[in-house]
Amino acid sequence: MTTRILGTGSALPKTTWTNDDLSAFIDTSDEWIRTRTGIIRRQIAAREESAASLGAEAGRKAIENSGTALEEIEMILAATCSDEGYFPSAACRIQAELGVRGAVCMDINAACSGFLFALHTAHAYVQSGIYQKILVIGTETMSRVIDWKDRSTCVLFGDGAGACVVGKDEKGILGFSQYSDGSRGSVLTGTAATLATPGDGAHPAGALFMDGQAVFRFAVKTVPECIQDTLEKTGKNIHEIDLFVLHQANSRIIHSVAKRLGAPEEKFPINLNEHGNTSAASIPILLDELNREGRLERGSLIMLAGFGAGLTWGTALLEW
Ligand code: UT7
């Protein structure tokens, strides 16, 4: 027996900012952002929206989609690195919003790898028999931790949440690989949360900093290696994989990973053009979109891959 994703959900803020909207207040252009990243637009949380409210909406949809009763959810894991405060956790606030009284709740911070790390944690709880049904959520309000005066990072990110319900089943997770290297953490840091909104000129000292080229090199080297790790562990080969659901940071990274692996680009779905980089939410949002479009066939093999601050990175192979 293993752990299967029983249902998915996602939620996005109501407000969309195009590249042209950003170029109204910072020195950038639609052409630069599209050609360097593939991003066209992203959703930005309004004051009344939060990592908890978006996470709760995504979680509610995942619970409905899985056919699970609310009272069956025994644990809520929220992967986030951009919540509005240190405590209570996003997971506890999501619990309150959903009314899942019996669940044990906590956040996991592995930045853009957070959803994968949370999924692996849920898998361990399910396989140990401690909990049967777990709600796993990636939820971010990156717009509140980025420096809106730094054009090299603020054009990249968006807000949103994705979620899934997991439980024991015969098919599901086939294998995992996870890595962390804190000694290289200085290339991507976020040291203060803020309520800054686009265009208001306010940003705290120490908001998100990224050495983009260093992170780019890290991603295109480690993601293919980590995919190969999981293929070896599970006895599968690259040609057997039906879809590669990668963290949505930059379409050039995704194309480079496809090329290095010798896998067709059509197997690498992309939605970062619509949502930007939503950090821990990007993989579950894309999974939910694919699920609702009917593109995840029962029995197909899906490789998930995340990478980001920490540094952290990981892959998971699922039999859907
Ligand atoms: O989710 C976490 C993981 N994060 C990532 O995976 C991000 C990885 N890195 C990247 O995706 C890319 O490195 C970026 C998209 C962040 C940057 O692309 P790049 O091709 O590495 O650009 P660059 O940083 O080398 O900058 C090239 C030029 C510079 O100008 P000069 O020095 O050549 O005159 C920048 O000042 O582009 C300039 N630039 C911009 N121009 C217009 C940087 N940002 C912008 C901008 N608009 N927004």
Side-chain angles (χ1 to χ4, degrees), residues 28 32 36 112 151 212-213 215 247 249-250 252-253 277 307:
T28 189
W32 190 96
R36 299 288 177 131
C112 302
R151 69 176 183 171
Q213 291 190 2
V215 177
H247 168 48
N250 186 324
R252 289 191 292 136
I253 292 178
N277 177 348
F307 56 89

Side-chain angles (χ1 to χ4, degrees), residues 84-108:
E84 64 201 27
Y86 301 114
F87 47 82
S89 65
C92 280
R93 284 153 41 232
I94 290 167
Q95 176 196 27
E97 213 162 304
L98 292 177
V100 193
R101 289 175 70 91
V104 171
C105 305
M106 63 180 173
D107 288 358
I108 288 183

Side-chain angles (χ1 to χ4, degrees), residues 126-146:
V126 168
Q127 292 308 305
S128 66
I130 297 175
Y131 300 120
Q132 308 299 313
K133 297 269 172 73
I134 301 181
L135 178 59
V136 185
I137 301 170
T139 185
E140 303 281 14
T141 43
M142 295 303 290
S143 65
R144 292 178 184 164
V145 298
I146 51 186

Side-chain angles (χ1 to χ4, degrees), residues 125 151 167 234 272:
Y125 273 110
R151 69 176 183 171
T234 54
L272 63 88

Side-chain angles (χ1 to χ4, degrees), residues 19 38 58 65 101 138 146 172 184 187 202 206 222 229 246 268 271 315:
N19 294 341
N65 184 249
R101 289 175 70 91
I146 51 186
R184 288 193 279 162
V187 297
T222 55
D229 278 356
L246 267 52
F268 291 71
N271 68 357
T315 51

